[in-house]
Amino acid sequence: MFRQNIKQFTSRRFGSHYAPSKFLNEASYKSNPKLGEQFMKQYETKVHHSEGITNLWKKLTYFVAIPAILLVAIPVGKVEMEHAKHREHQRHMSDEEWPQQYEYQNIRAKPFFWGDGDKTLFWNSDVNRHIQK
């Protein structure tokens, strides 16, 4: 008896999920062929426009951006090669020959918690030195 009452209560409670409401007498959406055709024309126009813009940006990428990057990369690469030669020279310099360290360089309020506590996380021994006198 108790089980039957629970079934009836549950079916009343969740019954609206299984069937449309008894108050619906007509469809909630009525199709309009004119609006459908208008929508399809606008959609085709947008697709055509999108294809044109996509092709324009592809051409700009291949014929403008990539050559510009290459034209800038060549002189920058030459300058970096000169810097590499200079760094190679600095690698063999002793601490006394190393350029002067100013008071605002290599400030250490407390030691780093990795390594020997003196080197930063991005330490490069060819470029960086912390000479303590």
Side-chain angles (χ1 to χ4, degrees), residues 6 14 27 29 34 38 70 77 96-97 102 111 125:
I6 290 177
F14 298 112
Y29 174 76
K34 272 188 184 176
Q38 182 182 1
L70 292 175
E96 291 78 30
E97 295 175 308
Y102 295 100
S125 298

Side-chain angles (χ1 to χ4, degrees), residues 4 28 35 38 46 67 69 74 107 111 119-120 126-128:
Q4 190 177 14
S28 60
L35 287 176
Q38 182 182 1
K46 287 180 187 178
I69 290 169
I74 292 169
I107 297 173
K119 294 178 175 67
T120 66
D126 296 343
V127 179
N128 305 114

Side-chain angles (χ1 to χ4, degrees), residues 6-67:
I6 290 177
K7 273 188 173 178
Q8 288 174 352
F9 175 72
T10 306
S11 64
R12 269 189 276 134
R13 184 172 172 204
F14 298 112
S16 62
H17 296 287
Y18 301 116
S21 172
K22 61 183 176 183
F23 299 109
L24 287 176
N25 295 327
E26 58 187 48
S28 60
Y29 174 76
K30 295 177 185 172
S31 63
N32 187 339
K34 272 188 184 176
L35 287 176
E37 289 175 20
Q38 182 182 1
F39 173 78
M40 289 306 293
K41 285 180 185 176
Q42 288 177 348
Y43 178 76
E44 289 171 3
T45 305
K46 287 180 187 178
V47 167
H48 179 69
H49 177 71
S50 298
E51 288 173 355
I53 293 295
T54 302
N55 290 334
L56 172 70
W57 280 105
K58 281 183 182 178
K59 289 176 186 175
L60 282 172
T61 300
Y62 296 134
F63 299 121
V64 177
I66 292 176

